[in-house]
Amino acid sequence: MSGDCTRESASFPAKPLKPLNSWRLGESFFNTTATAAGAEGTCATYWYLTFTNGTYPNVVAKYEINEFRCDNNTGGRPTVGCVVWWYASALTYSKAVTPNLVRHVKLAQASGLPGATFDAPLRRTTNPLVIAANRDRACDDAPSIQDMSCDEYPIATSKNGLSAGGTRRSFDGCSLPDIPSGTGAKGASICMIPALENSSQGGSNTQFFRAERMLGEDPFRVLTSN
């Protein structure tokens, strides 16, 4: 065991390796030490399995698990919790709730922008300067249209927005005729969508980051559903 954790208990008594093809089970439990406000910590655990066979020398096999991060630094969740941080969880927008947002996301991803797959996820940013730069470079000059709002993809709270380089693109039906179409993994897409849908998206993003205990640099995907 190493990292920001302490062992609570462990049990794996000696057992014979028979009958053939049967499981031999043990268990262990650990507590994180990353409990102070603002704390983040990782924990690696190790199993050392000793195999004995009569007069032959013992054989020791080592198995390591180093998958978990615990924190007390998730906005809106003043409690300690743990996640498998490297797994790119899915932020899912519903076509039934936000049809125009879903259309934009699908067009943006089809044009080559990342976020739909494990191989090319988005990465969260909590840096307010990066978030502001993403929004300003995408939508600062958006037209004023009643009950409409400028939506950008990748979302501003990711490191993949215009602060990372590239240019803007848009699509037919987005009310932005002066913004050309484009392709590729760099840059951002913008589209005018109903303001209520944009507000709903903001709430969905916040709830997702909170539920997944997603911190800066963590990967995530953006998917859509009916």
Side-chain angles (χ1 to χ4, degrees), residues 157-171:
T157 47
S158 76
K159 295 185 67 178
N160 307 81
L162 286 171
S163 64
T167 59
R168 295 188 297 180
R169 70 190 69 165
S170 191
F171 306 95

Side-chain angles (χ1 to χ4, degrees), residues 48-206:
Y48 295 90
L49 306 178
T50 302
F51 298 91
T52 61
N53 186 4
T55 59
Y56 293 97
N58 290 347
V59 175
V60 178
K62 176 185 174 183
Y63 180 70
E64 176 182 352
I65 303 175
N66 189 11
E67 312 287 343
F68 305 103
R69 181 192 66 217
C70 301
D71 79 274
N72 192 4
N73 195 30
T74 300
R77 297 190 69 177
T79 56
V80 179
C82 303
V83 294
V84 180
W85 66 269
W86 53 262
Y87 180 83
S89 298
L91 168 59
T92 304
Y93 300 131
S94 168
K95 182 178 179 180
V97 178
T98 53
N100 296 278
L101 169 64
V102 165
R103 174 182 178 271
H104 179 216
V105 169
K106 287 183 174 181
L107 288 170
Q109 291 178 342
S111 75
L113 292 171
T117 66
F118 286 106
D119 293 336
L122 302 184
R123 290 194 175 270
R124 191 189 179 194
T125 181
T126 57
N127 185 327
L129 296 179
V130 173
I131 295 170
N134 285 338
R135 287 178 174 150
D136 289 346
R137 295 175 190 179
C139 292
D140 187 52
D141 60 350
S144 178
I145 304 175
Q146 186 175 2
D147 298 326
M148 302 292 281
S149 178
C150 179
D151 177 58
E152 74 273 7
Y153 184 91
I155 62 175
T157 47
S158 76
K159 295 185 67 178
N160 307 81
L162 286 171
S163 64
T167 59
R168 295 188 297 180
R169 70 190 69 165
S170 191
F171 306 95
D172 290 341
C174 284
S175 301
L176 295 165
D178 295 331
I179 305 296
S181 60
T183 59
K186 280 284 189 180
S189 171
I190 61 173
C191 188
M192 301 301 292
I193 67 172
L196 288 177
E197 291 192 27
N198 220 348
S199 296
S200 176
Q201 177 196 26
S204 297
N205 295 352
T206 298

